[in-house]
Amino acid sequence: MKILQDDLSSEATIALIRAHVMDLAGHSPEESCHALDLDALRAPGVTFWSVWESDTIAGCGALKALDDTHAEIKSMRTAATHLRRGVAAKLLDHIIVEARARGFKRLSLETGPHDIFAPARSLYARFGFETCPPFGSYQEDPYSVFMTRALDGPDYSAPSKSSCRQAS
């Protein structure tokens, strides 16, 4: 598998993002759905990566700068064809390394509280993320779980492939 910085122009990438946004919309009311669409993922301050196995997209994720020291993980998604194959863990590790290299001191994310998001929350916890209050412009919301971790703390190696799940 290879991770590439992606300009969001390929049909496969666009299809994965559209499926991601539609799927998440089915689990939260509109005002509680924080998934970024294609235009928002192309905005300044957002870097988007896709994961590929040969010519098949396996997953994606983004890093959004909130300020000079704090960034947010956005649009983490594993393609249905690649679930439980280590895609999310490999990409999450890549995003953490990249965030550190850019000088961010804290990395946060928002995900869902429902059972379908449990594998994502578990993956994030294995990488040192802990629940936290809302950050940035987020507000308390029963449809959101907020997680964060300092980037100057211990490294967490990527979990084994067999323990990886889809991340949102």
Side-chain angles (χ1 to χ4, degrees), residues 58-76:
C60 64
L63 181 67
K64 178 182 177 184
L66 299 176
D67 60 38
D68 290 343
T69 63
H70 191 188
E72 180 181 6
I73 295 172
K74 298 296 293 183
S75 302
M76 284 284 291

Side-chain angles (χ1 to χ4, degrees), residues 70 132-141 144-147:
H70 191 188
C132 66
F135 58 90
S137 61
Y138 290 109
Q139 303 292 318
E140 281 292 339
D141 187 331
S144 292
V145 172
F146 304 99
M147 300 180 82

Side-chain angles (χ1 to χ4, degrees), residues 111-126 145 147:
T111 190
H114 308 301
D115 289 346
I116 194 163
F117 299 103
R121 293 190 309 270
S122 178
L123 174 70
Y124 296 132
R126 287 194 304 269
V145 172
M147 300 180 82

Side-chain angles (χ1 to χ4, degrees), residues 28-42:
S28 302
E30 186 176 343
E31 65 275 7
S32 297
C33 194
H34 305 290
L36 299 182
D37 64 16
L38 289 164
D39 289 336
L41 287 168
R42 291 181 180 123

Side-chain angles (χ1 to χ4, degrees), residues 3-75:
I3 298 174
L4 304 173
Q5 190 166 328
D6 194 316
D7 65 2
L8 295 122
S9 63
S10 80
E11 289 181 31
T13 301
I14 291 169
L16 184 61
I17 291 300
R18 286 186 175 149
H20 176 66
V21 170
M22 287 186 62
D23 181 49
L24 294 179
H27 298 286
S28 302
E30 186 176 343
E31 65 275 7
S32 297
C33 194
H34 305 290
L36 299 182
D37 64 16
L38 289 164
D39 289 336
L41 287 168
R42 291 181 180 123
V46 178
T47 304
F48 182 85
W49 292 276
S50 55
V51 182
W52 296 83
E53 186 171 60
S54 297
D55 60 351
T56 303
I57 194 163
C60 64
L63 181 67
K64 178 182 177 184
L66 299 176
D67 60 38
D68 290 343
T69 63
H70 191 188
E72 180 181 6
I73 295 172
K74 298 296 293 183
S75 302

Side-chain angles (χ1 to χ4, degrees), residues 58-112:
C60 64
L63 181 67
K64 178 182 177 184
L66 299 176
D67 60 38
D68 290 343
T69 63
H70 191 188
E72 180 181 6
I73 295 172
K74 298 296 293 183
S75 302
M76 284 284 291
R77 184 66 170 210
T78 300
T81 56
H82 286 76
L83 292 174
R84 291 176 262 311
R85 293 179 52 194
V87 173
K90 183 173 183 165
L91 184 56
L92 183 55
D93 187 59
H94 178 84
I95 291 172
I96 291 169
V97 167
E98 189 65 32
R100 277 191 176 124
R102 294 180 185 195
F104 292 110
K105 304 296 181 205
R106 176 155 300 280
L107 192 54
S108 300
L109 61 96
E110 180 272 340
T111 190

